[in-house]
Amino acid sequence: MQISDLPYPDPGVPDARSGPRFLLWLGRGQLGGQLKSLAWGMLHFGGVAGLPYAVGLGVDAVVDRAPNRLLLVGGLLVLIGVAISVGDAMLHRTAVTNWITAAARVQQLLARKTAELGSALTRRVAAGEVVAVSTGDVEKIGWFVEAVSRFLAAVFAVVLVCVGLVFYAPELGVVVAVGVPLIALASLPLLPRATRRADVQREKAGRATELASDTVAGLRVLRGIGGEELFLGRYREASQEVRRAAVRSARMWALISAIQVVLPGLLLITVVWYGASLALDGRIAVGELVAAFSAVATLLYPLRHFEEIAMAYSFSRPSAKRAARVLSLTRTDPAERPAQAGPVEEPAAGGDLYDPRTGLLAPAGRFTAVVCGDPDLAGRLAERLGGHAMEDHDGGDRGGEDGGGSDRDAKDGPSVLLGGVALDDLELDTARRLVLVQDKDPVLLSGTLRELLDVPASGAVESGAALAAAQCADVLDALLQSAPDGVEDPMDARITERGRSLSGGQRQRLALARSLVTDPEVLVLDEPTSAVDSHTEARIADGIAALRGGRTTVVLASSPLLLDRADRVVLIDGGTVAAVGTHRELLHREPLYRAVVTRETDEEQRLAGLGLTELEEALTEIEESA
């Protein structure tokens, strides 16, 4: 795979059972690139390993006064120099290619998983952790994949030097062959401690990133309540914890680096001292002593890659663990889904939407409103109607360290049915095309208004009609006024990132218009008018009812203006359907519904249920007590 071929047409299905398994899967996925990098690395390190012997042969030729041999040695040094240069350049090129392609594969997998889970992802994994995985962790994983081939080539060079010395100068070769493995293995006892300290550093860095992400997201609110200094202090404390953890981790790696310098130095001193005594006794030639000295000095270079691979694995293992945990998440718990004998056929148009867990039924072609006393339950119900799990929103479903425990803890029950077909059994693209869920806080991407409304759609609803139904006339005027000179069509006006230049109500209406343009089989809206005034809300309710006539629409809201336009209203209490009827019917016969919609207090509900005589007595008691 070349960099020019990125992105991958299909990044594949990762082995996300654990961090090491995920790293192994990545390595297998680009085996060709690893072998190519290994081949160039062997050429480079082979030249490095052959350099001491060529120098030794040259010294022997000088001592023996053999100019022809010296000339041959000169030619050999030229070939070795070319091998080192070409091998180093190509090794760097192929290794970096492996790094970039591995990082690109992980980023594609994360992007695909994010698109699959939607907003349910941040309910299962902290937003800051998602940011850390998609940025720093991707880099660490790519680093390890890139370092593997260079490490294997370095091992080849070390073995080649040791074996060559054993045959070239047996007395010194045995010393080097024994000493080099001891140097390579000397740091192993320190690696577990270094790994644990690196894990602590990464954990604290993830928490700091999550705190920073949450603070930035709520900056406007923090400024409104004067809480900037409080959260700045918290982030400063978290940042200092990261610094202290990084220093502790760096100290351990500095110790490992020192060992990798001191021990080879001691080996070099030993070889020089022992080789000099052998040369004085005439047991080895001067060229052999020079070759042994050069070989040990040369080994410092490949031995550094032993330290690098240890560091790369120690840093990439927790990163791969977090990435595997995110990639192991699914829309629902696989253990609770029945096995399918084959592909599930798409439900026929005009089917009812039914949720077996809550008992909610949204008849086909009707405008159904859902009232929940718990706003969080309404949001989770909206996600469930779109084919996502409805976990308990207690913050404890973000999983443990086993890489995916959150899904197993989310007992979701039977899937939502559309026309009798379970949404969980459909392909994700099909489920998204049939059922569209607009969150309570939809996101607007930067770009022109035309680009915002250029979404996959049936083509039955024009953008103008959707904007009119969502009452976006003032939004168009605001966009046109803030547009640069020369922009006359509001569709060409640009929307800033996340629509920050617009008010909450304006962003909400643009998002509603985008949802109406798609014209899905089923449209689920979670509080689509919570940020607009009552007059605009009434017109929006009429616009939705008119534009979605004959199409299944589910609106989760508690506004009487929206509820009065619905064909049927469903009251959800305790996670199940408590009452069904029209808005006016439920107001008269359901005290709980009346309390949620009209915000009645318990005392007001008690008085509303009394007769005329009882009401007069109650009022008399209240006056006497006052």
Side-chain angles (χ1 to χ4, degrees):
M1 187 85 180
Q2 300 297 323
I3 297 178
S4 58
D5 298 328
L6 295 175
Y8 284 94
D10 180 10
V13 180
D15 186 350
R17 289 176 289 177
S18 66
R21 288 178 182 272
F22 180 61
L23 290 175
L24 181 61
W25 177 83
L26 277 178
R28 289 200 309 265
Q30 52 187 88
L31 189 59
Q34 292 286 356
L35 292 176
K36 188 182 299 183
S37 181
L38 177 60
W40 289 113
M42 292 174 67
L43 176 64
H44 170 66
F45 283 103
V48 172
L51 189 60
Y53 305 113
V55 172
L57 291 174
V59 173
D60 286 337
V62 172
V63 172
D64 296 339
R65 298 179 182 276
N68 292 334
R69 283 167 49 197
L70 186 61
L71 185 61
L72 291 175
V73 170
L76 179 60
L77 287 173
V78 171
L79 290 177
I80 290 176
V82 172
I84 293 175
S85 301
V86 174
D88 187 27
M90 296 306 298
L91 171 62
H92 178 74
R93 179 185 179 91
T94 53
V96 171
T97 299
N98 290 335
W99 179 12
I100 294 176
T101 51
R105 187 191 294 271
V106 176
Q107 286 179 328
Q108 283 187 249
L109 291 170
L110 292 171
R112 185 175 67 182
K113 182 59 64 175
T114 302
E116 175 187 341
L117 296 177
S119 61
L121 175 62
T122 52
R123 290 207 302 271
R124 303 185 187 185
V125 181
E129 186 172 348
V130 176
V131 173
V133 170
S134 59
T135 53
D137 286 340
V138 168
E139 181 180 352
K140 298 295 188 301
I141 294 171
W143 177 28
F144 174 74
V145 173
E146 174 247 352
V148 168
S149 57
R150 288 190 286 109
F151 165 70
L152 295 177
V155 171
F156 167 76
V158 170
V159 173
L160 190 62
V161 168
C162 293
V163 173
L165 271 180
V166 169
F167 285 97
Y168 185 72
E171 294 86 350
L172 293 175
V174 172
V175 175
V176 175
V178 173
V180 168
L182 293 178
I183 294 173
L185 300 177
S187 302
L188 284 182
L190 300 177
L191 287 180
R193 182 177 298 179
T195 301
R196 287 195 297 270
R197 292 189 179 186
D199 289 348
V200 171
Q201 177 192 353
R202 294 298 302 167
E203 180 182 357
K204 291 184 179 297
R207 291 177 181 174
T209 303
E210 179 182 355
L211 179 60
S213 176
D214 293 343
T215 302
V216 171
L219 187 58
R220 181 175 299 179
V221 177
L222 292 177
R223 287 175 175 172
I225 63 176
E228 294 180 28
E229 289 300 325
L230 173 62
F231 278 83
L232 181 60
R234 291 180 180 178
Y235 180 75
R236 185 182 293 113
E237 181 181 352
S239 178
Q240 290 303 311
E241 290 182 2
V242 175
R243 181 190 61 81
R244 288 190 289 268
V247 170
R248 293 187 72 248
S249 179
R251 285 173 179 169
M252 185 57 62
W253 288 112
L255 178 59
I256 293 176
S257 298
I259 291 175
Q260 293 295 319
V261 173
V262 172
L263 293 185
L266 294 177
L267 177 61
L268 187 61
I269 294 173
T270 302
V271 168
V272 171
W273 174 78
Y274 181 57
S277 63
L278 292 177
L280 290 175
D281 294 341
R283 297 168 59 182
I284 62 172
V286 176
E288 292 176 340
L289 174 60
V290 173
F293 171 80
S294 302
V296 175
T298 302
L299 283 176
L300 295 176
Y301 172 53
L303 282 176
R304 285 205 300 267
H305 292 79
F306 285 69
E307 177 190 355
E308 182 193 13
I309 194 66
M311 291 184 64
Y313 180 73
S314 297
F315 281 97
S316 66
R317 187 182 61 83
S319 297
K321 188 176 183 179
R322 280 188 291 270
R325 175 169 166 255
V326 174
L327 295 175
S328 66
L329 299 176
T330 56
R331 286 195 291 163
T332 54
D333 188 353
E336 296 186 357
R337 292 175 56 183
Q340 297 293 330
V344 179
E345 294 185 3
E346 181 178 330
D352 296 339
L353 184 69
Y354 176 65
D355 179 18
R357 177 170 179 173
T358 61
L360 171 64
L361 173 66
R366 304 286 297 279
F367 184 178
T368 302
V370 180
V371 176
C372 298
D374 182 3
D376 291 335
L377 174 61
R380 299 197 300 275
L381 177 58
E383 288 292 336
R384 176 171 168 78
L385 294 178
H388 297 294
M390 190 168 73
E391 310 95 339
D392 292 332
H393 197 250
D394 57 2
D397 57 352
R398 287 180 176 178
E401 295 299 326
D402 60 350
S406 59
D407 254 6
R408 288 189 292 274
D409 295 338
K411 301 303 182 184
D412 186 43
S415 168
V416 171
L417 306 176
L418 177 60
V421 178
L423 288 180
D424 294 342
D425 297 333
L426 296 174
E427 293 292 334
L428 180 61
D429 292 341
T430 303
R432 291 278 173 83
R433 177 171 52 83
L434 294 175
V435 182
L436 173 65
V437 178
Q438 177 177 304
D439 297 330
K440 185 181 300 182
D441 299 311
V443 175
L444 302 182
L445 301 180
S446 59
T448 65
L449 180 56
R450 193 184 309 278
E451 292 170 342
L452 176 69
L453 300 179
D454 185 15
V455 293
S458 66
V461 178
E462 298 292 336
S463 58
L467 291 168
Q471 301 298 309
C472 294
D474 64 315
V475 184
L476 300 181
D477 293 338
L479 289 174
L480 199 56
Q481 290 176 4
S482 61
D485 295 338
V487 177
E488 299 180 355
D489 188 350
M491 298 296 291
D492 296 325
R494 293 195 63 82
I495 300 172
T496 57
E497 181 186 0
R498 302 179 70 90
R500 298 187 188 278
S501 61
L502 302 174
S503 67
Q506 290 173 329
R507 290 195 300 270
Q508 197 172 57
R509 282 177 282 163
L510 284 181
L512 175 59
R514 179 179 58 188
S515 299
L516 293 174
V517 165
T518 60
D519 189 39
E521 180 79 15
V522 178
L523 177 61
V524 180
L525 304 173
D526 184 11
E527 294 286 357
T529 59
S530 59
V532 300
D533 59 81
S534 58
H535 297 289
T536 305
E537 185 177 32
R539 293 195 295 268
I540 290 176
D542 292 334
I544 294 176
L547 196 62
R548 293 287 300 173
R551 306 286 272 174
T552 308
T553 305
V554 180
V555 177
L556 292 97
S558 58
S559 168
L561 295 173
L562 274 174
L563 299 174
D564 196 37
R565 268 70 171 181
D567 297 325
R568 67 198 305 266
V569 179
V570 179
L571 174 64
I572 302 291
D573 181 37
T576 59
V577 173
V580 179
T582 65
H583 170 60
R584 299 178 187 274
E585 291 173 350
L586 294 179
L587 275 179
H588 287 89
R589 75 168 191 257
E590 292 294 336
L592 177 60
Y593 178 84
R594 186 167 56 249
V596 173
V597 173
T598 63
R599 311 296 196 272
E600 281 185 350
T601 64
D602 293 339
E603 182 65 20
E604 289 172 334
Q605 291 184 51
R606 186 181 70 83
L607 293 177
L610 298 178
L612 181 59
T613 303
E614 296 170 329
L615 180 59
E616 290 177 350
E617 294 176 355
L619 291 175
T620 302
E621 293 177 1
I622 294 174
E623 291 176 355
E624 291 176 353
S625 62

